[in-house]
């Protein structure tokens, strides 16, 4: 039976395995994220410490991503991904253990958050670079990226909802343990894949020369450079608002862990809507224009959400904001993946990861400090306005980049 065009990437055996394994694992990951945020806020009652823990978990990505991208280009993406998933499973197990034995120590949580950040610095460029191997035809790559985004956001919808129930009924340790178990699915799917992994020839250049080559490549590609700089600024100024959701749940909406779970789940629903939109996008659409419109939707709705004390209306605007944010992320990722030379894929994706995920820890630290000394709603309002201004400033750069004809990329075998 032929698959609908919106699901066409699932006809590839390896991508199907990846899709199912990641879906199960990511549900566990979102359960853990929810539990960590709630645990930190329950222990400290401080927005500042929420920012510190978020900073600790993501700052390694900013510092290590360029090196990690060069590493991925020099080694097997498949084997790198397998190792990072095993390491993530160990991290989740240790987190479950310290909570199970009632070792509620903020320093231990920060240490394990840093460890996970180091793992993710290598995991993300390896995972993103694998996409071109899992889906052999370049024409199906945008659909694979969109389906991957849909899977991630579906997990983001289910994970917090399930996590909220488990958290209120059984506690944080159950959420952490189930995340530990969920890695069996993704590791098993990787082992079942039919991918030839020949040994890479040892490069003559030093890895830092490879890293510099990636930087020089971006300097001469206006479209890629503009897309990465744009998402870097949005990641710094607007995306870290989610750090303050526990504060909103307790102080703005006067709720509990169920309120926090609703905020996260509705955010996931909005992101899923954005992913569905991208999955049904026709080939040849102007991705740079979609990035602009989607970011404006995200930032404007975020500004409206900031001071809204009606919970139902707040959920509506946070859902629309997340739909815009997901569409922006997926459009940026698709634009980069379809316009980068294959030999530079790992390095360019690492700069994208550094911009997307690496700038968020700095933003989280600033957001936590701002909400600690001022208020959460004032901080989120400033984030929404700042993101809107940045996006409007990038319109001329995107128009200029649109006039450039991207060079075709060559799809190669995994090496």
């Amino acid at each position: 039976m032929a698959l609908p065009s919106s699901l066409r990437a699932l006809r590839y055996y390896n991508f199907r395995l990846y899709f199912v394994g990641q879906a199960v694992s990511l549900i566990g990951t979102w359960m853990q994220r929810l539990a960590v945020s709630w645990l930190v806020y329950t222990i400290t009652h401080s927005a500042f410490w929420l920012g510190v823990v978020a900073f600790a978990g993501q700052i390694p990505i900013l510092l290590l991503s360029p090196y990690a991208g060069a590493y991925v280009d020099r080694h097997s993406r498949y084997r790198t991904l397998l190792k990072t998933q095993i390491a993530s499973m160990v991290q989740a197990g240790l987190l479950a253990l310290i909570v199970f034995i009632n070792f509620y120590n903020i320093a231990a949580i920060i240490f394990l958050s840093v460890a996970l950040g180091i793992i993710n610095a290598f995991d993300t460029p390896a995972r993103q670079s694998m996409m071109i191997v899992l889906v052999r035809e370049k024409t199906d790559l945008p659909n694979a990226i969109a389906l991957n985004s849909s899977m991630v956001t579906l997990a983001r919808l289910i994970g917090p909802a399930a996590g909220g129930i488990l958290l209120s009924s059984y506690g944080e340790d159950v959420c952490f343990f189930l995340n530990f178990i969920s890695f069996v699915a993704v590791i098993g799917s990787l082992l079942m894949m039919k991918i030839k992994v020949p040994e890479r020839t040892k490069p003559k250049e030093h890895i830092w020369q490879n890293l510099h080559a990636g930087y020089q490549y971006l300097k001469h590609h206006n479209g890629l450079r503009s897309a990465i700089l744009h998402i870097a600024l949005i990641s710094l100024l607007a995306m870290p608002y989610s750090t303050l959701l526990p504060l909103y749940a307790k102080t703005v909406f006067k709720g509990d862990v169920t309120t926090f779970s609703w905020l996260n789940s509705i955010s996931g629903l909005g992101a899923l809507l954005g992913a569905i939109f991208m999955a049904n996008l026709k080939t040849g659409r102007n991705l740079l224009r979609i990035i602009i419109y989607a970011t404006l939707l995200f930032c404007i709705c975020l500004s409206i959400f900031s001071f809204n004390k009606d919970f139902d209306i707040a959920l509506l605007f946070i859902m629309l904001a997340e739909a815009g944010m997901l569409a922006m992320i997926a459009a940026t990722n698709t634009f980069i993946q379809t316009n980068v030379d294959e030999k530079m894929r790992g390095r360019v994706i690492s700069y994208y990861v550094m911009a997307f995920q690496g700038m968020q820890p700095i933003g989280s630290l600033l957001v936590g400090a701002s909400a600690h000394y001022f208020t959460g709603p004032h901080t989120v309002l400033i984030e929404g306005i700042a993101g809107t201004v940045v996006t409007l400033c990038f319109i001329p750069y995107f128009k200029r980049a649109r006039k450039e004809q991207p060079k075709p990329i060559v799809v190669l075998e995994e090496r």
Side-chain angles (χ1 to χ4, degrees), residues 13 36 62 93 236 258 276 286 296 300 357 365:
Y13 171 78
V36 167
L62 176 63
L236 173 67
T258 303
I276 292 172
N286 185 346
L296 289 176
I300 291 170
Q357 296 184 354
L365 197 62

Side-chain angles (χ1 to χ4, degrees), residues 253-274:
F253 300 121
K254 311 298 181 186
D256 52 17
V257 67
T258 303
T259 310
F260 181 45
S261 177
W262 267 104
L263 286 168
N264 280 275
S265 294
I266 293 299
S267 296
L269 176 60
L272 181 61
L273 295 176

Side-chain angles (χ1 to χ4, degrees), residues 9 26 41 63 74 80 91 113 118 128 145 164 189 200 208 224 244 247 281 325 347 361 363 385:
L26 284 171
Y41 195 66
L63 300 177
R74 295 162 65 97
T80 301
Q91 188 271 351
S113 296
I118 294 172
Q128 296 285 356
I145 294 171
S189 70
R200 286 185 185 268
W208 293 108
L224 295 175
L244 300 179
L247 182 148
L281 204 63
M325 186 177 77
R347 278 162 280 186
I385 294 173

Side-chain angles (χ1 to χ4, degrees), residues 311-374:
F311 189 59
D312 293 334
I313 296 176
L315 289 179
L316 172 63
F317 280 104
I318 205 65
M319 181 181 69
L320 293 174
E322 286 286 338
M325 186 177 77
L326 190 284
M328 175 203 67
I329 294 168
T332 303
N333 191 356
T334 303
F335 178 80
I336 292 169
Q337 293 257 24
T338 53
N339 286 278
V340 64
D341 292 334
E342 176 62 23
K343 64 181 181 180
M344 290 289 177
R345 184 173 298 276
R347 278 162 280 186
V348 170
I349 288 176
S350 72
Y351 279 105
Y352 162 71
V353 171
M354 183 174 66
F356 171 37
Q357 296 184 354
M359 296 304 290
Q360 289 187 53
I362 300 175
S364 295
L365 197 62
L366 294 174
V367 162
S370 174
H372 180 75
Y373 289 107
F374 301 104

Side-chain angles (χ1 to χ4, degrees), residues 9 41-42 50 65 67 70 105 118 131 142 165 194 196 198 242 309 335 342 390:
Y41 195 66
T42 301
L50 283 172
S65 282
Y67 177 87
N105 186 290
I118 294 172
M131 203 67 65
I165 295 171
K194 298 177 181 178
K196 294 181 181 180
S242 59
K309 294 186 178 181
F335 178 80
E342 176 62 23
V390 164

